[in-house]
């Protein structure tokens, strides 16, 4: 199944695509359904029940606020970060449902956390129920946030259908199929993705849309390296990117360079985005928000240290990078998962690392085999990566983990570029299968529940 580049990279509000973007979209869709299939004016109360991972880490991940944004009928692009929507709802105990009718809303009793209940379809479940003035249910729907901000209603989950297949010329379900089509038609992976995207909208829209995503990613880096202060949520974690930036700039001005300074720069750029995400900033999912620092850091790395070209060629590099990375992500979404709640952090930082490694190999002029090899190496050394964020916040280990993922992606691409004979033992398809099986076998304690690991061993 082909996933569009614009499904994979979407703009949202941090800190978690599965715990904020998904629930917000689900709540918004529920309200739209309420408006279209029932009498929204009869609604007196809406109750939201969060299950499993959403209940266990939802407070730290901002899920409750995201649900309220969705019930207000807001979309991420339209949110004004200066406006205190949540504060108003809490203070007034009123909510403007779908921007249409005002209902009573009590943050504490109208959002219920079912921490011990995991719905069978997926650990990120949520139920919305609207009641009339007599307490009768008007509409009840169950949704799942399945990763990267993608949602599915219960009836769609039964067949694991998120949507109908897109009308594109190249559908692929495995890396083997993808590379066979590329070889048959003389295309790079990025060419194939662009042909698919051009079948869905004009080529100019596609080009401008991709460049806009690249710009937003780099704007986030720029914001993050200037922002100072303490991250929200109670860990009292001080933001580090601004200080890292100042230290590096000073070293640079004093010509105090060391051979591994590039690693410091990559760390800085990944930190900048991950801290912006933790602070609830505007973020491009890549593939998720928790892992959104990996790709922008690798992009800035090749723009600064690898390619010395014209502005047009620099733009082309970003297009090749993001198109290649999106095809790799498509394979993980079709055959495994990008949800930390389903497969642990392998599905977030692991997939981001794999996408970035393949994309970087493509920008460096790698062959189809080298791109596959880079993406495979990157995941092979993220197998088993758990998700156990301290206090349920997307901060520890998440912020440093973005930096580690970005540096590992660069190394994976470099290893693959040295492999010039086109042979390697482990295919990308087999590592994706292995990652998924490993994720399913991981105890649920290590899948975005904060019931074990760092979350229980770090005192704060
Ligand atoms: S540990 Fe990984 S999967 Fe879990 S919240 Fe952090 S970045 Fe996401």
């Amino acid at each position: 199944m082909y996933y569009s580049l614009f499904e994979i990279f979407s703009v949202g509000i941090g800190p978690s695509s599965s715990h904020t973007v998904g629930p917000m979209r689900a709540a918004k869709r529920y309200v739209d359904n309420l408006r279209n299939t029932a009498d929204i004016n009869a609604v007196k109360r809406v109750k939201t029940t969060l299950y499993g991972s959403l209940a266990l880490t939802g407070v730290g991940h901002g899920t409750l606020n995201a649900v309220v944004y969705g019930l207000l009928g807001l979309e991420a692009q339209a949110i004004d970060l200066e406006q205190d929507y949540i504060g108003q709802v809490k203070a007034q105990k009123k909510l403007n449902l779908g921007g249409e009718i005002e209902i009573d809303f009590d943050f504490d009793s109208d959002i219920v956390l079912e921490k011990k209940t995991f719905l069978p379809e997926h650990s990120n479940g949520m139920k919305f129920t609207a009641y009339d003035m007599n307490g009768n249910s008007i509409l009840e729907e169950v949704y799942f946030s399945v990763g990267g901000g993608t949602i599915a209603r219960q009836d769609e989950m039964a067949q694991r259908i998120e949507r109908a297949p897109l009308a594109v010329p190249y559908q692929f379900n495995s890396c083997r199929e993808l590379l066979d089509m590329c070889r048959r038609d003389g295309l790079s992976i990025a060419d194939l993705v662009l042909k698919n995207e051009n079948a869905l909208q004009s080529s100019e829209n596609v080009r401008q849309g991709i460049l806009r995503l690249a710009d937003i990613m780099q704007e986030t880096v720029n914001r993050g390296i200037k922002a100072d202060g303490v991250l929200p949520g109670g860990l009292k974690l001080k933001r580090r990117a601004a200080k890292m930036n100042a230290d590096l700039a000073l070293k640079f001005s004093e010509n105090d360079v060391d051979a591994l300074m590039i690693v410091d720069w990559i760390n800085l750029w990944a930190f900048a985005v991950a801290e912006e995400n933790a602070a609830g900033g505007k973020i491009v999912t890549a593939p998720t928000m928790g892992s959104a620092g990996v790709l922008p850091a690798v992009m800035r790395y090749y723009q600064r240290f690898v390619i010395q070209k014209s502005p047009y060629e620099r733009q082309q590099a970003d297009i090749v990078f993001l198109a290649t990375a999106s095809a790799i992500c498509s394979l993980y979404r079709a055959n495994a998962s990008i949800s930390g709640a389903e497969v642990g952090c392998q599905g977030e930082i692991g997939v981001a690392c794999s996408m970035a490694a393949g994309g970087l190999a493509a920008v460096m002029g790698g062959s189809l085999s080298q791109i596959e090899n880079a993406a495979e190496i990157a995941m092979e050394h993220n197998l088993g990566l758990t998700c156990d964020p301290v206090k349920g916040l997307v901060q520890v280990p998440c912020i440093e983990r973005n930096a580690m993922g970005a540096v590992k992606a660069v190394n994976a691409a470099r290893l693959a570029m040295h492999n010039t004979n086109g042979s390697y033992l482990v295919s990308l398809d087999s590592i994706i299968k292995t990652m998924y099986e490993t994720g399913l076998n991981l105890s649920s304690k290590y899948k975005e529940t904060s019931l074990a690991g760092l979350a229980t061993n770090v005192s704060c």
Side-chain angles (χ1 to χ4, degrees):
M1 171 135 165
Y2 177 77
Y3 289 85
S4 165
L5 181 151
F6 296 102
E7 289 177 282
I8 286 163
F9 300 115
S10 64
V11 181
I13 304 295
S16 164
S17 43
S18 60
H19 283 56
T20 50
V21 179
M24 183 172 161
R25 287 182 179 156
K28 163 89 168 58
R29 186 172 153 194
Y30 171 74
V31 172
D32 289 343
N33 290 344
L34 202 50
R35 184 185 293 114
N36 296 332
T37 65
D39 180 8
I40 193 168
N41 292 309
V43 177
K44 289 292 171 227
R45 185 179 163 222
V46 174
K47 180 178 159 193
T48 303
T49 309
L50 303 176
Y51 296 96
S53 173
L54 289 183
L56 285 159
T57 56
V59 174
H61 279 48
T63 309
L64 283 66
N65 293 356
V67 164
V68 170
Y69 285 140
L71 294 177
L72 288 166
L74 293 169
E75 286 177 342
Q77 302 268 18
I79 289 182
D80 173 3
L81 290 176
E82 301 296 314
Q83 199 176 323
D84 186 9
Y85 304 90
I86 304 300
Q88 279 174 19
V89 170
K90 281 184 174 168
Q92 296 168 2
K93 292 194 182 277
K94 299 274 182 202
L95 184 146
N96 199 6
L97 189 65
E100 216 164 308
I101 61 154
E102 194 169 81
I103 59 170
D104 292 336
F105 190 85
D106 185 332
F107 224 87
D108 297 325
S109 59
D110 287 326
I111 303 181
V112 178
L113 305 179
E114 285 286 353
K115 295 186 179 179
K116 292 195 174 148
T117 309
F118 284 73
L119 299 183
E121 293 90 341
H122 195 283
S123 49
N124 284 337
M126 66 208 109
K127 182 170 78 183
F128 302 98
T129 315
Y131 298 94
D132 66 15
M133 60 187 297
N134 298 315
N136 298 317
S137 167
I138 295 176
L139 179 69
E140 182 167 285
E141 290 185 331
V142 175
Y143 286 89
F144 298 90
S145 177
V146 297
T150 302
I151 55 166
R153 208 170 47 191
Q154 197 163 33
D155 52 313
E156 298 159 341
M157 281 299 282
Q159 301 165 62
R160 213 177 160 93
I161 292 173
E162 294 166 18
R163 52 148 180 74
L166 297 171
V168 294
Y170 295 98
Q171 286 287 353
F172 53 87
N173 288 310
S174 67
C175 184
R176 186 58 31 229
E177 286 176 12
L178 169 65
L179 298 196
D180 282 351
M181 286 189 286
C182 286
R183 291 188 177 111
R184 184 193 70 202
D185 293 355
L187 300 171
S188 67
I189 293 173
D191 291 338
L192 181 146
V193 168
L194 293 176
K195 281 186 179 296
N196 274 355
E197 296 300 329
N198 292 345
L200 300 171
Q201 54 178 317
S202 77
S203 56
E204 189 50 26
N205 279 357
V206 170
R207 180 180 171 78
Q208 292 309 326
I210 298 174
L211 293 177
R212 178 77 194 122
L213 286 167
D215 281 349
I216 297 172
M217 287 172 158
Q218 296 309 316
E219 283 162 11
T220 310
V221 174
N222 294 340
R223 275 200 315 276
I225 60 179
K226 287 190 208 119
D228 220 336
V230 173
L231 291 170
L235 272 185
K236 298 194 179 76
L237 208 64
K238 198 168 166 357
R239 294 178 75 142
R240 289 160 64 187
K243 166 91 169 47
M244 289 163 80
N245 188 39
D247 289 350
L248 276 169
L250 183 65
K251 277 188 162 200
F252 199 67
S253 68
E254 292 175 347
N255 215 14
D256 175 16
V257 289
D258 70 55
L260 287 179
M261 207 164 170
I262 288 176
V263 173
D264 295 337
W265 285 108
I266 298 170
N267 287 337
L268 163 67
W269 298 323
F271 261 66
V273 176
E275 289 181 349
E276 272 297 285
N277 178 58
K282 215 170 249 192
I283 301 290
V284 177
T285 58
T288 64
M289 291 191 153
S291 58
V294 175
L295 269 77
V298 172
M299 291 166 82
R300 186 127 341 170
Y301 157 75
Y302 67 69
Q303 288 288 359
R304 176 121 175 220
F305 295 113
V306 178
I307 55 174
Q308 307 287 332
K309 294 183 173 171
S310 69
Y312 179 79
E313 287 167 313
R314 286 175 175 277
Q315 288 185 339
Q316 285 306 107
D318 283 346
I319 291 171
V320 166
F321 179 84
L322 290 176
T324 307
S326 83
I328 292 166
C329 186
S330 206
L331 296 169
Y332 284 100
R333 284 183 67 154
N335 298 293
S337 171
I338 59 166
S339 165
E342 200 174 7
V343 292
C345 201
Q346 306 175 109
E348 299 206 14
I349 293 291
V351 173
C353 185
S354 184
M355 292 164 69
L360 178 59
V363 167
M364 290 163 80
S367 64
L368 292 171
S369 300
Q370 286 169 319
I371 294 168
E372 176 187 8
N373 192 209
E376 183 285 314
I377 292 170
M379 176 52 76
E380 189 175 327
H381 304 289
N382 276 299
L383 286 179
L385 199 64
T386 58
C387 170
D388 53 0
V390 177
K391 260 185 160 233
L393 297 165
V394 192
Q395 296 179 12
V396 179
C398 320
I399 295 170
E400 285 179 4
R401 199 164 274 180
N402 273 271
M404 301 303 288
V407 172
K408 194 181 280 188
V410 171
N411 198 21
R414 293 180 72 87
L415 279 172
M417 292 303 285
H418 283 294
N419 180 3
T420 50
N421 66 11
S423 84
Y424 37 88
L425 194 63
V426 187
S427 68
L428 183 55
D429 289 329
S430 57
I431 207 71
I432 291 173
K433 183 169 185 283
T434 306
M435 173 278 232
Y436 192 44
E437 288 173 0
T438 305
L440 296 182
N441 287 332
L442 268 181
S443 161
S444 62
K445 287 182 179 175
Y446 296 100
K447 294 192 274 192
E448 217 163 355
T449 57
S450 290
L451 291 174
L454 283 175
T456 52
N457 289 319
V458 173
S459 52
C460 49

